[in-house]
């Protein structure tokens, strides 16, 4: 298969920067206290959501921090699609309590909230002032030492340079980011993933695969993001069904945690594509769960996109474990699309309609998706009518074999 990088792509000024130390392993959480201490933290704000806090998922983290002499202030109010007001509340607590470091334990919502709190702790004003958009202020200061401890294998926020925050007034999810906001350290322990219920495993796992798929096929992909994205797809494809069927399968949990982190390295450095443009803009309007919404969109998005880069879709089929040796490029590319439809079916992902998305607003949703910057790199050029077509397909699934 061709490596498929065009000369125009080689002429882009590509960058790959990762300011985050990545430490992982089954039982890695036992090292968190000493690791956070070595960052110079004496009083940490623990940022997490009430569900996992009450379920005791954060307990080993708190014990390890305390054993190493670190004071812990708990901020366990994280909500899905974290809003600006939550970040404001968290940074107020960080300052009032005199914290000097952040430890985020949870999924993307907790890790992004902690990044937002870090922005407000190190800059004047609100995180809203630092939206990655024209006319807004650039970030100038490194956030306080942040350790991310993911409890889902999904967003990859543990290693990305982005936080996704919801502006409730504008019904809009915005990004803030750059190397200054990335975690100083991530500790990835699949033991913390065992308590994830099957539906969370499914939606976050497909989200991780989606990051790799969208980044690998996008127009600005570069060799290093291709490398990590392909390995993320191999791990994800091999282990996602096992993690879904048996949450205590630690080998599968480890594989999925690697898939999410590797995918985060890929799209966190470049970008995703149509499914993320759609889900992010939809998530600002309707409180859909990010991963679940992406999962429901991936089949139709890939069905639309494969013609934009058949060679890379065919290469993806191999990463998914499909024997493509007797297939033409087109057939292998279509096999990758069908693989995703089957996966979404096997993992019982609810349709957008079942997720509460109204079926009569496709034009409005399409208009919003067009505004998202992730549209630009999508492997196939997108017009509003194309987004309408994809939304329409989302509402009129089930699996269509190409
Ligand atoms: N910063 C980034 O690079 C980036 C990238 C993609 C998405 N995001 C954002 O991340 C957010 C979504 O994050 P997410 O998909 O990880 O979901 P989440 O953090 O909202 O968590 C989903 C649910 O799973 C539960 N949960 C998490 N871990 C668990 C565990 N181990 N056991 C039991 N329950 C558990 C949580 O309590 C919550 O109810 C969205 O706001 C999305 O926009 C950020
Ligand atoms: Fe995502």
């Amino acid at each position: 298969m061709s490596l498929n990088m065009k000369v125009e792509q080689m002429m882009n000024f590509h960058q790959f920067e990762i300011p985050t130390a990545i430490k992982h392993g089954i039982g890695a959480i036992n090292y968190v206290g000493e690791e956070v201490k070595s960052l110079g933290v004496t009083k940490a704000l623990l940022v997490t959501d009430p569900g996992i806090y009450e379920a005791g998922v954060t307990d080993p983290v708190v014990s390890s921090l305390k054993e190493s002499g670190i004071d812990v202030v708990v901020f366990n109010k994280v909500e899905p699609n974290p809003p600006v007001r939550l970040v404001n509340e968290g940074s107020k607590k960080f300052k009032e309590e005199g914290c000097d470091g952040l430890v985020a334990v949870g999924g993307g919502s907790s890790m992004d909230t902690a990044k937002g709190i870090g922005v407000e702790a190190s800059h004047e004003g609100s995180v809203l002032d630092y939206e990655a958009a024209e006319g807004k202020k650039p970030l100038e200061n490194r956030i306080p030492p942040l350790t991310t401890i993911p409890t889902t294998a999904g967003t990859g926020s543990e290693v990305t340079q982005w936080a996704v925050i919801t502006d409730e007034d504008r019904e809009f999810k915005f990004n803030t980011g750059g190397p200054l906001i990335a975690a100083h350290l991530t500790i990835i322990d699949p033991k913390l993933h065992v308590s994830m219920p099957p539906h969370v495993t499914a939606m976050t796992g497909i989200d991780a695969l989606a990051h790799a798929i969208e980044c690998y096929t996008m127009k600005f992909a570069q060799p290093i993001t291709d490398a990590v994205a392909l390995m993320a797809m191999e791990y994800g494809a091999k282990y996602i069904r096992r993690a879904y069927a048996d949450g205590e399968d630690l080998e599968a949990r480890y594989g999925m945690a690697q898939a999410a982190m590797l995918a985060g390295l890929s799209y966190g450095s470049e970008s995703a594509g149509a499914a993320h443009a759609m889900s992010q803009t939809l998530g600002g309007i309707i409180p859909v769960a990010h991963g679940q919404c992406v999962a429901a969109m991936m089949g139709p998005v890939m069905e639309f996109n494969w013609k934009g880069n058949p060679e890379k879709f065919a290469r993806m089929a191999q990463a998914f474990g499909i024997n493509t040796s007797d297939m033409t490029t087109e057939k292998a590319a279509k096999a990758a699309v069908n693989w995703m439809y089957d996966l979404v079916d096997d993992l019982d992902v609810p349709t957008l309609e079942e997720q509460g998305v109204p079926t009569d607003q496709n034009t409005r949703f399409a208009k919003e998706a067009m505004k998202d910057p992730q549209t630009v790199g999508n492997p196939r050029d997108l017009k509003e009518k194309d987004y309408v077509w994809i939304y329409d397909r989302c509402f009129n699934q089930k699996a269509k074999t190409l």
Side-chain angles (χ1 to χ4, degrees):
M1 297 280 174
S2 141
L3 289 174
N4 205 43
M5 195 167 180
K6 301 191 173 80
V7 174
E8 308 88 81
Q9 278 175 287
M10 296 175 188
M11 288 166 80
N12 290 334
F13 178 58
H14 291 282
Q15 309 181 50
F16 187 90
E17 189 173 345
I18 163 81
T20 307
I22 302 169
K23 306 198 178 184
H24 57 89
I26 297 169
I29 212 64
N30 298 329
Y31 300 89
V32 73
E34 286 310 303
E35 291 288 339
V36 171
K37 197 171 163 185
S38 73
L39 295 175
V41 177
T42 61
K43 192 172 188 180
L45 187 73
L46 180 90
V47 181
T48 189
D49 75 59
I52 60 169
Y53 184 75
E54 275 146 34
V57 177
T58 53
D59 289 354
V61 178
V62 174
S63 305
S64 178
L65 289 169
K66 287 189 173 162
E67 272 164 30
S68 297
I70 297 169
D71 287 337
V72 180
V73 177
V74 175
F75 181 67
N76 60 357
K77 295 187 173 179
V78 171
E79 306 162 26
N81 301 313
V84 173
R85 63 175 159 74
L86 177 82
V87 174
N88 297 162
E89 191 183 337
S91 70
K92 194 162 167 257
K93 186 153 191 166
F94 183 95
K95 289 173 198 162
E96 279 172 4
E97 295 276 356
C99 296
D100 55 11
L102 290 151
V103 176
V105 187
S109 300
S110 296
M111 294 187 280
D112 287 4
T113 302
K115 288 175 180 173
I117 292 172
V119 168
E120 293 191 354
S122 53
H123 294 80
E124 293 293 322
S126 160
V127 67
L128 196 52
D129 304 327
Y130 299 92
E131 179 178 344
E134 239 172 84
K136 295 283 184 143
K137 295 180 201 167
L139 289 171
E140 287 173 343
N141 307 316
R142 187 77 171 104
I143 61 170
L146 166 64
T147 302
T148 47
I149 303 175
T151 63
T152 61
T155 67
S157 180
E158 60 269 24
V159 292
T160 72
Q161 307 184 7
W162 298 100
V164 187
I165 308 293
T166 301
D167 179 354
E168 291 171 313
D169 295 339
R170 280 186 296 162
E171 294 188 325
F172 183 68
K173 284 178 89 170
F174 69 90
N175 296 318
T176 177
L180 294 169
I181 204 179
H184 298 63
L185 166 70
T186 183
I187 297 195
I188 304 170
D189 185 346
K191 272 190 170 175
L192 299 187
H193 298 194
V194 165
S195 54
M196 243 192 293
H199 78 278
V200 178
T201 303
M203 68 181 188
T204 53
I206 298 179
D207 186 32
L209 275 162
H211 298 150
I213 292 166
E214 293 216 286
C215 183
Y216 180 64
T217 53
M218 72 170 306
K219 287 180 180 150
F220 310 124
Q222 51 169 318
I224 194 164
T225 55
D226 281 356
V228 280
L230 273 175
M231 201 46 78
M233 286 186 249
E234 291 209 7
Y235 272 106
K238 177 167 179 186
Y239 288 116
I240 192 166
R241 286 179 173 85
R242 272 175 60 174
Y244 177 69
D246 176 7
E248 304 214 357
D249 180 342
L250 270 178
E251 182 190 322
R253 289 297 193 190
Y254 181 89
M256 287 309 297
Q258 292 297 313
M261 180 267 287
L262 293 166
L265 289 180
S266 65
Y267 92 108
S269 304
E270 285 293 353
S271 171
H276 276 79
M278 290 165 68
S279 66
Q280 196 157 324
T281 48
L282 187 64
I285 303 170
I286 295 161
V288 282
H290 169 77
Q292 187 168 266
C293 167
V294 168
M297 291 167 170
M298 274 316 280
V301 165
M302 289 173 71
E303 186 181 339
F304 178 81
N305 273 347
W306 75 266
K307 289 177 194 156
N309 201 332
E311 288 82 6
K312 276 197 153 177
F313 272 76
R315 178 69 185 84
M316 281 197 314
Q318 295 177 331
F320 296 154
I322 300 167
N323 181 354
T324 62
S325 53
D326 291 333
M327 293 184 189
T328 60
T329 300
E330 182 176 326
K331 191 144 190 254
K334 287 179 179 175
V337 180
N338 289 331
W339 183 88
M340 179 54 73
Y341 271 124
D342 287 344
L343 179 68
V344 167
D345 218 25
D346 290 348
L347 271 48
D348 307 308
V349 175
T351 61
L352 284 190
E353 201 169 352
E354 287 161 353
Q355 293 179 40
V357 181
T359 56
D360 58 354
Q361 295 186 33
N362 288 359
T363 308
R364 177 190 179 197
F365 298 151
K367 271 194 193 355
E368 292 302 316
M370 279 304 289
K371 293 182 199 159
D372 190 284
Q374 293 167 113
T375 292
V376 182
N378 193 64
R380 195 170 159 196
D381 287 342
L382 282 159
K383 302 212 164 45
E384 195 180 303
K385 69 171 178 42
D386 302 317
Y387 272 130
V388 171
W389 183 90
I390 298 170
Y391 265 112
D392 196 47
R393 278 301 275 136
C394 290
F395 290 121
N396 295 295
Q397 293 196 39
K398 286 293 201 180
K400 176 187 150 200
T401 302
L402 295 187

